[in-house]
Amino acid sequence: MEEHHGLNYVRTEMLGEQAPPVSEVGAVRWVRENLFSGWVNTILTVISLAVIAWAVMAIGPWLLNSVWEAESLAQCREILAAAGAVNEHGTFGACWGVINDRWHQLLFGFYPPELYWRPILAFVLMLVALAPVLFPNVPRKWLFFSVAYPFIGFFLLWGGTVWLPLMIAAGFVVGYIAARLTSGYSTLITSAAAIIAPLIWWFYLMGPVTEALHSMIPIGLEAVQSNDFGGFMLSIIIGVTGIVLSLPLGILLALGRQSNMPLIKTICVVFIEFVRGVPLITLLFTASLLLNYFLPPGTNFDLILRVIIMVTLFATAYMAEVIRGGLAALPNGQYEAADALGLDYWKAQRLIIMPQALKISIPGIVNTFIGLFKDTTLVVFIGLLDPIGLSSAIRASSDWQGIYWELFIFIGAIFWIFCFGMSRYSMYLERRLKTDHR
Amino acid sequence: MNTTAERGIDRSQMTVSDEVAIQITNMNKWYGAFHVLRDINMTVNRGERIVICGPSGSGKSTLIRCINRLEEHQAGQIIVDGTELSSDLKNIDKVRSEVGMVFQHFNLFPHLTILENLTLAPIWVRKTPKREAEETAMYYLEKVKIPEQANKFPGQLSGGQQQRVAIARSLCMKPRIMLFDEPTSALDPEMIKEVLDTMIELAEEGMTMLCVTHEMGFAQAVANRVVFMDQGQIVEQNEPNEFFNNPQSERTQLFLSQILGH
Ligand SMILES: Nc1ncnc2c1ncn2[C@@H]1O[C@H](COP(=O)(O)OP(=O)(O)OP(=O)(O)O)[C@@H](O)[C@H]1O
Ligand SMILES: [Mg+2]
């Protein structure tokens, strides 16, 4: 203890670090502070415990009495009755036999069973393609595979001639060449050429060229019709394509909305406000009924493709607004510093503005992704057999008439795994990108 | 804050050539209907160091932001290093690559490390190879005396350090002219000196500088000329001793009495 004489004080030795008092650590303290601090909290804790106990007692026995091996609901009930799992309403227990019996339909719809390896391979390759996009420690050169994947996936899933995906890919090369040829002119002309040239290719030239090539060198896989697609495979195809496309399109739309060119700005605002303003289901009906009228005659657009377009447009409008929020949060000084250093518009966007705006928008972006993925179940209303549609089909069969909890729990659980995964990933990403040290 | 006396700067070393770096003639600018810059005429020779001061809202920032076209002028002419600023994008790019700018609030890129902040423009605008850009960056970080911060993020640095990084970032583009917009006014007093010292060093090396600041010590130490602005006009300009000791216009006298007076 130093003595203090008057105002004059000089510390003679520095104090070492000490452990906190015992009352500040440990489980007891946690419980006391978090569950029983005051009578309101105590009552709430007790009520919560009661609710949890009730839920466990209500659902627990039902889960404990699970039956996995059964070929129909009747058989399942027999097994339960034999095991004595009965209450006042009849047999009491979960019949997971339906999943066991019909899982392939829930996953693949009516995809030919001997070809299941194709969607499975496509799924695995999708994970490989996503890895370099999602995780920074995967070598950058794998991104080439990510770029090629959409065409590989398309070929594996639908089959048919190998030339079709190749010619679709060639459309991007056409766009690139058009951009190079017009690079001497203004940005607007270059951008327009880069968009219009591939559209002309895809709509008018690609078909004949593909046919010609296929008749010369016929390579391909057995074709599978879109009608046979279904189940989670369909949800994932629509969901993942929508997610992958809506982010870049949303960025462009958000930038367009901020543009100081009135025409571009107006187009973007009208698009966003229109698409956000109508229910997705009306867009889906449009996709199933009307879209063909707007397209050049003769193009017979696949229904799944049409649905993907609509789902993507819908998500894009939301995405644009989420990203606009991120853009608005950036101080003007970031644009000015980029300008002052001589970065042009696209470089400034790519290197300075978007990395920050997207980082701010991560929660909103992932929110939109999750919404989009779950909204894929709406396609049941236009006759596509997503997992919900299939569950109706399964319940309509004589074997499984009357079952529903097990199917919906299974479907819900799978959706939950995907959505929870996205949510966790977004939290990981936010942590990884946290550099502002505020 | 008197950096002058401590450092004893040798002003004779700082040469001014008669080559013109910036030529502004009859320049006018409006924000909507508001006439913010009125008939500005100004010539800056290579190697000149000009301090611009004036009351808040007098148009100082607007003036220097016109020089690298962060703001557009509506009448008159601005010629930077022989390139006239017009809506021609190529000219704007050319001027921006010659003119560095330092902002009041640093405007570092918070998502990039210090080193990445410094190498970004050289790599993407000048197409310098990464290695070379990093070497240059380290050279300038040494110069502003914070090489050890290279791998930190801007948010981890003090204000004074951030501003020195911002200066280094501009220098990495090897500019021939540097613009400063109140580089020290967002800083705590003890950090002002470190930034001013960096700027003085630049001045000693003969950099052409236009600096909006109220650091009169700095003005007296390095400026060839002090420009006083009020209500969008240049009211008075003179070499620093004359300007401070013998101001001609009433407005200048009032302004000086306000900032030096107390
Ligand atoms: N983007 C803008 N739109 C409209 N008016 C503006 C804009 N920017 C600045 N002004 C106005 O122009 C005038 C000059 O602004 P400027 O920022 O050039 O002043 P300043 O001399 O730098 O002042 P300070 O010392 O406060 O930085 C001010 O009256 C300001 O309100
Ligand atoms: Mg200002």
Side-chain angles (χ1 to χ4, degrees):
Chain A
M1 259 287 159
E2 293 105 321
E3 301 251 320
H4 295 200
H5 294 294
L7 294 170
N8 209 343
Y9 166 70
V10 177
R11 181 173 285 287
T12 47
E13 62 189 315
M14 304 306 280
L15 299 178
E17 197 176 326
Q18 292 180 340
V22 185
S23 65
E24 293 298 303
V25 288
V28 177
R29 168 170 176 264
W30 187 89
V31 169
R32 181 157 44 79
E33 277 194 0
N34 289 290
L35 300 179
F36 298 103
S37 62
W39 59 272
V40 178
N41 275 1
T42 308
I43 291 176
L44 289 176
T45 303
V46 170
I47 293 177
S48 312
L49 286 176
V51 169
I52 293 172
W54 176 82
V56 168
M57 286 191 337
I59 304 170
W62 185 76
L63 283 175
L64 283 176
N65 296 341
S66 291
V67 174
W68 283 94
E69 306 288 336
E71 263 147 37
S72 69
L73 189 57
Q75 193 190 355
C76 175
R77 287 196 172 136
E78 273 166 35
I79 296 172
L80 283 173
V86 198
N87 67 5
E88 63 272 26
H89 305 298
T91 54
F92 185 69
C95 281
W96 301 112
V98 65
I99 310 298
N100 205 353
D101 191 38
R102 299 298 183 95
W103 63 269
H104 52 277
Q105 265 183 18
L106 287 170
L107 294 188
F108 301 108
F110 296 99
Y111 207 87
E114 69 278 11
L115 300 179
Y116 279 172
W117 65 270
R118 276 162 46 181
I120 293 172
L121 180 61
F123 184 75
V124 172
L125 291 181
M126 179 185 84
L127 299 181
V128 176
L130 284 177
V133 181
L134 298 183
F135 302 103
N137 35 11
V138 178
R140 295 294 84 192
K141 54 177 188 277
W142 284 32
L143 278 170
F144 282 107
F145 182 71
S146 311
V147 173
Y149 176 76
F151 308 102
I152 300 171
F154 172 81
F155 180 57
L156 279 173
L157 289 168
W158 273 271
T161 170
V162 72
W163 295 109
L164 183 59
L166 286 176
M167 290 304 110
I168 296 175
F172 293 97
V173 180
V174 168
Y176 176 76
I177 293 172
R180 288 310 294 268
L181 290 180
T182 53
S183 61
Y185 305 94
S186 78
T187 323
L188 198 61
I189 294 178
T190 313
S191 315
I195 294 171
I196 293 169
L199 286 180
I200 294 175
W201 166 260
W202 284 324
F203 281 122
Y204 296 101
L205 303 175
M206 183 178 76
V209 173
T210 307
E211 256 168 52
L213 281 168
H214 185 65
S215 60
M216 279 189 288
I217 315 170
I219 316 173
L221 287 170
E222 186 186 329
V224 178
Q225 298 306 314
S226 289
N227 293 345
D228 296 336
F229 283 46
F232 281 103
M233 184 179 95
L234 186 62
S235 303
I236 293 173
I237 292 173
I238 298 174
V240 171
T241 318
I243 283 172
V244 168
L245 291 178
S246 65
L247 185 59
L249 292 176
I251 291 174
L252 290 180
L253 209 55
L255 292 178
R257 189 165 190 168
Q258 290 214 321
S259 162
N260 34 23
M261 283 181 258
L263 180 66
I264 291 182
K265 185 174 173 141
T266 314
I267 292 174
C268 293
V269 172
V270 168
F271 176 87
I272 292 171
E273 295 304 339
F274 172 73
V275 173
R276 275 203 314 171
V278 298
L280 176 57
I281 193 73
T282 56
L283 291 180
L284 291 177
F285 278 123
T286 311
S288 77
L289 301 171
L290 287 175
L291 208 57
N292 268 353
Y293 294 113
F294 297 116
L295 294 167
T299 43
N300 185 22
F301 243 38
D302 188 273
L303 181 58
I304 293 182
L305 188 56
R306 281 185 263 160
V307 165
I308 286 177
I309 291 176
M310 284 308 183
V311 168
T312 304
L313 292 185
F314 192 71
T316 299
Y318 278 90
M319 196 61 74
E321 288 299 283
V322 168
I323 292 168
R324 192 165 68 96
L327 287 171
L330 282 197
N332 229 346
Q334 293 291 306
Y335 293 89
E336 289 173 359
D339 280 348
L341 285 170
L343 293 163
D344 65 29
Y345 178 79
W346 290 111
K347 278 181 195 151
Q349 288 298 341
R350 195 174 114 215
L351 302 165
I352 310 296
I353 307 302
M354 274 307 149
Q356 297 183 62
L358 291 180
K359 187 172 89 181
I360 299 171
S361 321
I362 288 173
I365 291 174
V366 173
N367 210 9
T368 311
F369 283 172
I370 290 179
L372 182 157
F373 189 54
K374 292 189 300 185
D375 280 352
T376 58
T377 50
L378 285 174
V379 300
V380 66
F381 290 112
I382 55 167
L384 288 178
L385 288 176
D386 82 312
I388 303 287
L390 279 164
S391 70
S392 309
I394 293 171
R395 290 191 301 129
S397 71
S398 58
D399 280 349
W400 294 107
Q401 203 168 15
I403 199 160
Y404 56 109
W405 280 107
E406 293 81 350
L407 277 172
F408 288 123
I409 288 174
F410 176 74
I411 293 168
I414 303 244
F415 270 107
W416 183 83
I417 289 171
F418 278 102
C419 296
F420 186 67
M422 284 192 250
S423 153
R424 286 278 121 178
Y425 176 75
S426 91
M427 289 166 80
Y428 152 82
L429 198 60
E430 279 180 66
R431 240 176 299 125
R432 176 158 76 74
L433 297 181
K434 189 165 171 24
T435 58
D436 46 3
H437 305 282
R438 261 179 229 153
Chain B
M1 191 85 347
N2 195 345
T3 27
T4 344
E6 291 160 45
R7 294 182 49 100
I9 291 157
D10 183 2
R11 297 171 62 105
S12 64
Q13 266 188 3
M14 302 190 258
T15 48
V16 176
S17 78
D18 35 346
E19 191 190 333
V20 176
I22 303 171
Q23 172 87 56
I24 303 177
T25 15
N26 302 332
M27 192 264 276
N28 283 274
K29 171 168 181 60
W30 289 262
Y31 280 125
F34 174 49
H35 199 172
V36 55
L37 291 178
R38 306 177 193 183
D39 203 32
I40 303 286
N41 284 286
M42 190 167 160
T43 308
V44 181
N45 287 345
R46 188 158 302 296
E48 247 195 312
R49 298 156 311 274
I50 295 183
V51 161
I52 302 172
C53 60
S56 179
S58 54
K60 310 175 297 285
S61 299
T62 311
L63 172 61
I64 68 164
R65 289 157 61 85
C66 281
I67 294 172
N68 66 351
R69 195 103 175 163
L70 287 183
E71 300 290 351
E72 194 180 318
H73 60 280
Q74 280 89 30
Q77 216 182 21
I78 303 178
I79 299 175
V80 181
D81 252 339
T83 311
E84 177 171 2
L85 280 171
S86 61
S87 52
D88 187 341
L89 289 175
K90 288 210 177 77
N91 285 357
I92 297 177
D93 285 342
K94 186 146 175 269
V95 167
R96 284 181 179 163
S97 67
E98 309 249 320
V99 179
M101 181 149 192
V102 175
F103 301 86
Q104 181 174 2
H105 295 288
F106 332 135
N107 297 354
L108 295 177
F109 305 130
H111 62 303
L112 301 176
T113 63
I114 302 304
L115 193 63
E116 287 166 341
N117 263 278
L118 266 64
T119 55
L120 183 114
I123 291 176
W124 289 94
V125 179
R126 290 245 194 271
K127 309 270 180 261
T128 317
K130 188 163 180 246
R131 283 288 294 282
E132 197 184 319
E134 283 177 355
E135 275 162 28
T136 316
M138 286 314 295
Y139 169 78
Y140 283 111
L141 277 183
E142 302 265 357
K143 228 170 125 79
V144 300
K145 306 197 176 60
I146 34 177
E148 72 282 358
Q149 311 286 0
N151 293 313
K152 288 196 184 163
F153 286 97
Q156 294 168 301
L157 270 56
S158 75
Q161 291 173 325
Q162 291 194 42
Q163 192 60 296
R164 284 182 284 157
V165 170
I167 295 174
R169 178 174 72 179
S170 291
L171 293 177
C172 281
M173 289 293 280
K174 310 263 165 71
R176 308 184 66 183
I177 300 167
M178 285 286 284
L179 309 174
F180 295 82
D181 190 0
E182 306 205 31
T184 56
S185 53
L187 297 177
D188 292 339
E190 70 267 30
M191 296 169 185
I192 293 180
K193 182 175 176 304
E194 60 190 48
V195 171
L196 288 182
D197 283 350
T198 307
M199 291 168 61
I200 291 169
E201 226 169 273
L202 256 187
E204 285 170 330
E205 286 164 15
M207 176 66 78
T208 312
M209 293 165 69
L210 265 83
C211 183
V212 176
T213 183
H214 293 152
E215 292 296 330
M216 292 308 145
F218 173 78
Q220 279 184 316
V222 299
N224 313 78
R225 196 163 16 131
V226 180
V227 174
F228 174 69
M229 288 184 71
D230 194 12
Q231 293 179 3
Q233 298 154 68
I234 295 179
V235 174
E236 182 164 350
Q237 51 177 315
N238 212 334
E239 62 83 26
N241 267 332
E242 276 295 294
F243 180 84
F244 289 113
N245 300 329
N246 191 14
Q248 302 296 308
S249 117
E250 234 168 77
R251 290 174 187 281
T252 318
Q253 288 161 8
L254 182 68
F255 174 74
L256 286 178
S257 74
Q258 273 165 354
I259 64 163
L260 303 172
H262 320 290

